[in-house]
Amino acid sequence: MAYATLLTEVEGAVALITLNRPEALNALNDQLMNELTEVLDSYEADPEIRCVILTGSTRAFAAGADIKAMRTQSYMDAYMGDFITRNWERAATFRKPIIAAVAGYALGGGCELAMMCDFIIAAENAQFGQPEITLGVMPGAGGTQRLTRFVGKSKAMEMCLTGRRIAAEEAERCGLVSRVVATDQLLTEAWEAARKVASMSLPITMMTKESVNAAYETSLSQGVMFERRLFHSMFATADQKEGMAAFVEKRPAAFRHE
Ligand code: DAK
């Protein structure tokens, strides 16, 4: 399937989605978000895909929602038309593992999109920020919520109130990204991580992701109970039998994803 604003590539059980609006530093418009929703729908339905990488260009992961498309919106346009709402959360609801590989600018909606992924690998040249305040608005796709959970109140407040960008090293220090890699190694590292994830049992990676995400939605005791129930359920899977048998027999596991 060819898309106007995305490039896609599948190798084995890993799919790579590249945001591709270079003329606008991958600014996120309705068409791009619709296409991203469509491709994620198709990867979620495809049993052969077990991990997805979302990336941009070396210059920009995404410089935010498309300001040129937003500037003339009225309140009624935005509210009644459900402006960029229906197609904005698909990465966050995607059930399989999804890794953001971020180089260059990840600003506004771009930073929010990266935060919807399961973890972020950042290139040395990556810059993260929520500059919406400089445009007379505030973050609208989780910037005040996910960023605060990831980096804490003080840094999230400073970023949202001043628009200050943080570089990759600071982003790693404050827990926004899992690690920083050389810019020219970003995709190599992302593919390696994605292949590793895809080599595990798919239902088990999906449940693990669900359990980590529950930490952001529940109390500790409810979250631990949710984890325990999922953990117990894993003894019903063929892959638990295979994984543990493989360990005992000193051989690599051959998961069947069931
Ligand atoms: N939108 C549209 N075009 C953009 C853009 C953007 N966000 N960012 C860059 N571009 C375009 C520039 O206009 C320019 O196009 P031409 O003028 O050549 O036609 C081209 O990309 C190259 O940009 P620059 O010439 O500015 O490049 P520089 O290297 O000088 O600067 C920059 C790069 C990233 C620092 C600068 O472009 C910049 O500050 N961009 C805007 C960053 C920003 O403010 N982002 C936040 C946007 S607001 C919601 C969901 C999401 C959102 C809201 C609600 N709901 C679900 C309700 C999100 C809102 C936002 O993200």
Side-chain angles (χ1 to χ4, degrees):
M1 178 80 187
Y3 297 97
T5 63
L6 305 174
L7 301 171
T8 59
E9 181 184 337
V10 174
E11 191 194 289
V14 176
L16 173 73
I17 304 171
T18 305
L19 306 175
N20 187 35
R21 290 189 72 210
E23 71 288 356
L25 300 184
N26 292 332
L28 305 166
N29 63 7
D30 224 27
Q31 183 182 23
L32 186 150
M33 297 315 288
N34 279 338
E35 291 187 350
L36 185 58
T37 297
E38 198 178 315
V39 72
L40 287 174
D41 283 346
S42 76
Y43 291 153
E44 192 164 277
D46 183 343
E48 300 303 316
I49 303 291
R50 296 196 292 275
C51 188
V52 171
I53 305 167
L54 181 61
T55 196
S57 67
T58 304
R59 191 170 166 211
F61 176 75
D66 193 317
I67 300 166
K68 292 166 189 164
M70 279 190 294
R71 65 188 284 248
T72 56
Q73 288 276 321
S74 70
Y75 170 69
M76 277 303 146
D77 292 336
Y79 181 75
M80 297 306 283
D82 209 14
F83 176 62
I84 56 171
T85 297
R86 65 199 171 280
N87 56 9
W88 259 86
E89 291 279 324
R90 188 62 182 100
T93 62
F94 190 64
R95 296 183 67 210
K96 295 176 180 177
I98 176 166
I99 302 169
V102 174
Y105 300 111
L107 303 179
C111 185
E112 293 170 315
L113 180 60
M115 289 191 290
M116 287 179 206
C117 298
D118 295 323
F119 61 92
I120 302 173
I121 301 178
E124 276 168 347
N125 78 339
Q127 290 191 44
F128 298 85
Q130 299 290 163
E132 290 90 338
I133 199 88
T134 67
L135 300 169
V137 290
M138 61 182 268
T144 64
Q145 301 302 304
R146 290 193 180 91
L147 185 66
T148 307
R149 282 164 167 78
F150 297 159
V151 308
K153 175 181 166 183
S154 194
K155 199 175 286 283
M157 274 292 190
E158 188 194 354
M159 289 173 71
C160 291
L161 290 178
T162 69
R164 181 173 80 85
R165 294 183 214 148
I166 60 173
E169 194 192 323
E170 185 174 353
E172 183 181 22
R173 218 165 44 232
C174 66
L176 179 58
V177 310
S178 67
R179 61 196 163 97
V180 180
V181 300
T183 302
D184 64 0
Q185 288 303 302
L186 177 66
L187 279 183
T188 307
E189 295 281 348
W191 274 103
E192 198 178 313
R195 281 191 204 101
K196 186 81 179 166
V197 172
S199 73
M200 309 298 173
S201 161
L202 177 61
I204 303 297
T205 61
M206 290 171 66
M207 287 187 222
T208 303
K209 158 175 178 158
E210 225 182 314
S211 192
V212 173
N213 282 334
Y216 290 98
E217 306 285 352
T218 59
S219 67
L220 179 61
S221 59
Q222 286 170 325
V224 168
M225 186 52 74
F226 182 72
E227 177 191 82
R228 186 137 322 141
R229 292 289 171 254
L230 281 179
F231 182 83
H232 286 161
S233 76
M234 289 171 183
F235 289 95
T237 66
D239 286 340
Q240 173 268 329
K241 299 288 174 294
E242 166 59 13
M244 293 192 183
F247 174 81
V248 172
E249 293 160 19
K250 300 186 189 300
R251 59 172 175 81
F255 293 122
R256 297 190 342 237
H257 313 293
E258 56 187 41

